[in-house]
Amino acid sequence: MFDPAIVCHGGAGHGAKDQPGVDEATSFGWAKLKQGGSALEAAIAAVVMMENDPSLNAGTGGRIRSDGSVQLDAAIMTNDGRFGAVTCIEQTKNPILVAEKILDKKINMLAGRGAREFADTLDIPRDEVEGSINPSGNDTVGAIARDSSGLIVVASSTGGCTGRPPGRIGDTPLIGAGLWCGEFVGVSATGIGEEITLKMPCVRISDRVSTGNDIAASLNWGINQFNSDIEVGFIALGPQGEGIGVANTKMPWSSES
Ligand code: ASP
């Protein structure tokens, strides 16, 4: 038996005004775990709640691309070896629900038109996604949950960085870069996607924790891989169920265990 736990974040660069939305999502995911729900249910519930919160700017409020479109990325990884992601999906308010359905497929990532057509087969409605009301900035939300069976699930969703071209893919849906789930530790990143992708930090942080390094020290090591003017943040859930967030900028995060 493992102690259930959850940790969520609302994106590097977001400040105290967005803390309540992250707290609410964490509490919602935590309630699922307390009711005996799986880590998958809890992480998805938390991310859906944040995707539906326009101030958090994933899903419903995703960032607007240079051509005016809203193209969204979402990914899920589990410690029982599954991965599912969508990238540059349009007309979809909750891309995390499409990523979830890919988890048990032979393929593990779908982009653009193919991702949306896959969502059509699941009767996930096509909706107009208006995009962020904020003129600039970046966006990612993330949740990591562990249930009493020891299943760990990392789930992340993003509108990307404002003004990037259509078709641009940041770190969020990229395994090892934007998220990683080791046997006993999950990690999720937020910040400037191109920089994060280059450093592959989530798998490297997870490896450090898995080889006995302190989780907070490992996250700080991850932050230190970046110049201080590159906005970056991480959340992680460690072997003792400890949820923690570290960033070199503001980043709302919260945990329950
Ligand atoms: N990492 C995201 C991206 O580059 C944005 C963010 O987390 O702020 O797409």
Side-chain angles (χ1 to χ4, degrees), residues 59-78:
T60 297
R63 294 289 173 191
I64 294 171
R65 305 268 172 157
S66 58
D67 65 348
S69 64
V70 179
Q71 300 186 345
L72 304 170
D73 302 334
I76 304 174
M77 186 174 181
T78 67

Side-chain angles (χ1 to χ4, degrees), residues 123-189:
D123 294 329
I124 292 176
R126 287 186 183 244
D127 285 311
E128 208 43 55
V129 181
E130 273 180 35
S132 173
I133 46 175
N134 300 321
S136 63
N138 313 314
D139 335 88
T140 294
V141 303
I144 310 173
R146 181 173 85 173
D147 61 30
S148 56
S149 76
L151 177 69
I152 302 174
V153 175
V154 184
S156 306
S157 182
T158 191
C161 299
T162 303
R164 295 289 201 273
R168 175 264 187 185
I169 299 172
D171 62 297
T172 302
L174 300 183
I175 193 166
L179 75 169
W180 182 259
C181 199
E183 195 179 352
F184 298 109
V185 56
V187 187
S188 169

Side-chain angles (χ1 to χ4, degrees), residues 4-8 25-26 29-30 33 42-43 46 143-146 237 254-256:
I6 184 165
V7 56
C8 298
T26 307
W30 178 237
L33 290 170
I144 310 173
R146 181 173 85 173
L237 195 66
S254 58
S255 65
E256 294 271 9

Side-chain angles (χ1 to χ4, degrees), residues 10-221:
H14 286 253
K17 75 174 174 32
D18 295 326
Q19 187 66 48
V22 178
D23 291 343
E24 212 183 325
T26 307
S27 301
F28 191 53
W30 178 237
K32 297 264 176 221
L33 290 170
K34 294 297 276 181
Q35 289 156 12
S38 71
L40 186 61
E41 286 174 79
I44 298 281
V47 169
V48 165
M49 184 171 262
M50 292 190 281
E51 285 179 334
N52 291 342
D53 179 344
S55 65
L56 288 175
N57 295 318
T60 297
R63 294 289 173 191
I64 294 171
R65 305 268 172 157
S66 58
D67 65 348
S69 64
V70 179
Q71 300 186 345
L72 304 170
D73 302 334
I76 304 174
M77 186 174 181
T78 67
N79 69 339
D80 60 6
R82 293 177 291 155
F83 178 73
V86 290
T87 183
C88 299
I89 189 169
E90 296 188 71
Q91 297 183 291
T92 309
K93 287 188 167 169
N94 296 113
I96 199 72
L97 296 178
V98 189
E100 179 191 7
K101 297 297 182 195
I102 294 177
L103 268 186
D104 294 313
K105 299 280 178 209
K106 203 168 167 187
I107 51 158
N108 51 28
M109 187 186 275
L110 284 170
R113 180 170 63 87
R116 186 50 250 184
E117 287 175 356
F118 174 70
D120 292 340
T121 69
L122 305 166
D123 294 329
I124 292 176
R126 287 186 183 244
D127 285 311
E128 208 43 55
V129 181
E130 273 180 35
S132 173
I133 46 175
N134 300 321
S136 63
N138 313 314
D139 335 88
T140 294
V141 303
I144 310 173
R146 181 173 85 173
D147 61 30
S148 56
S149 76
L151 177 69
I152 302 174
V153 175
V154 184
S156 306
S157 182
T158 191
C161 299
T162 303
R164 295 289 201 273
R168 175 264 187 185
I169 299 172
D171 62 297
T172 302
L174 300 183
I175 193 166
L179 75 169
W180 182 259
C181 199
E183 195 179 352
F184 298 109
V185 56
V187 187
S188 169
T190 172
I192 307 301
E194 288 75 6
E195 301 284 341
I196 296 172
T197 296
L198 285 172
K199 307 275 188 198
M200 210 68 163
C202 289
V203 67
R204 294 166 73 204
I205 291 168
S206 170
D207 282 352
R208 291 179 83 86
V209 177
S210 303
T211 51
N213 290 286
D214 174 72
I215 190 160
S218 301
L219 289 175
N220 280 312
W221 174 88

